[in-house]
Amino acid sequence: MVCVLVFMFTICSNAQDENKANPTQIKQKNQRLKIIKREPVSNDVFLQCQNGSRNSGLRVGLKVRFHSTGSVTEVLISRFSGCDYFDKEAVRVAKKIKFKPEVKDGEAVSVVKTVEYAYGIY
C-alpha cells in the first residue's frame, strides 16, 4: 500500500508541475494586436485638399477590422476630415497595414480598432 501512495504522489506532483504557468506560454496565449508597418498618407493628397485655404491640418478617423488571418478586411470612416481626397487615401493606405493578429487563449482573433491619420502644418 505504501508503494501505491508513493506512486500516486508522484503522479500528483507531475500533474502539478505541468499546471505551473510558464511565463513564455502566457505571453503566447494572449497578445495584443501589433502593427508592423503603416504607411503615411501622401503629402500630395494634403496639398490637393488645401486648395489655397489656410487649413493647417486634416484628421480622419477609421474603424479597421484586423482579421485573424493577418489581413485588413474592412475599413470604415468614423470621422471625416472634410476632404474626400484625404479620406479616400487614408482608407487606401489603411488597407495595406501589416500586423500580427491579436491572440486570445492561444488563438488568433479578429478585432476592430480605431486608426487615425492626421496631417498638419505647424
Side-chain angles (χ1 to χ4, degrees):
M1 212 162 189
V2 174
C3 290
V4 172
L5 289 175
V6 171
F7 182 70
M8 288 176 66
F9 176 76
T10 304
I11 290 173
C12 290
S13 78
N14 284 341
Q16 201 172 22
D17 289 341
E18 289 173 4
N19 290 333
K20 285 184 181 176
N22 182 345
T24 56
Q25 288 175 335
I26 292 172
K27 285 183 183 178
Q28 292 172 351
K29 275 188 147 189
N30 296 310
Q31 290 184 343
R32 300 184 92 181
L33 174 97
K34 182 177 180 181
I35 303 291
I36 298 168
K37 183 179 179 186
R38 178 178 160 181
E39 293 180 24
V41 175
S42 167
N43 292 342
D44 297 338
V45 174
F46 178 72
L47 294 174
Q48 286 179 335
C49 291
Q50 263 193 318
N51 288 334
S53 72
R54 293 186 176 192
N55 184 2
S56 63
L58 297 169
R59 185 177 303 270
V60 62
L62 306 172
K63 293 286 184 184
V64 179
R65 180 175 305 279
F66 295 96
H67 198 269
S68 60
T69 59
S71 61
V72 172
T73 57
E74 186 177 15
V75 179
L76 300 172
I77 299 173
S78 60
R79 188 177 73 223
F80 292 88
S81 70
C83 176
D84 288 339
Y85 295 117
F86 188 75
D87 295 345
K88 288 177 184 175
E89 179 68 3
V91 169
R92 186 187 73 76
V93 297
K95 289 179 179 178
K96 296 166 70 174
I97 293 174
K98 303 292 182 208
F99 65 96
K100 287 185 180 179
E102 189 159 314
V103 177
K104 290 193 179 178
D105 297 326
E107 297 288 325
V109 294
S110 298
V111 293
V112 175
K113 300 278 186 180
T114 299
V115 174
E116 194 171 82
Y117 284 92
Y119 191 94
I121 297 175
Y122 300 101

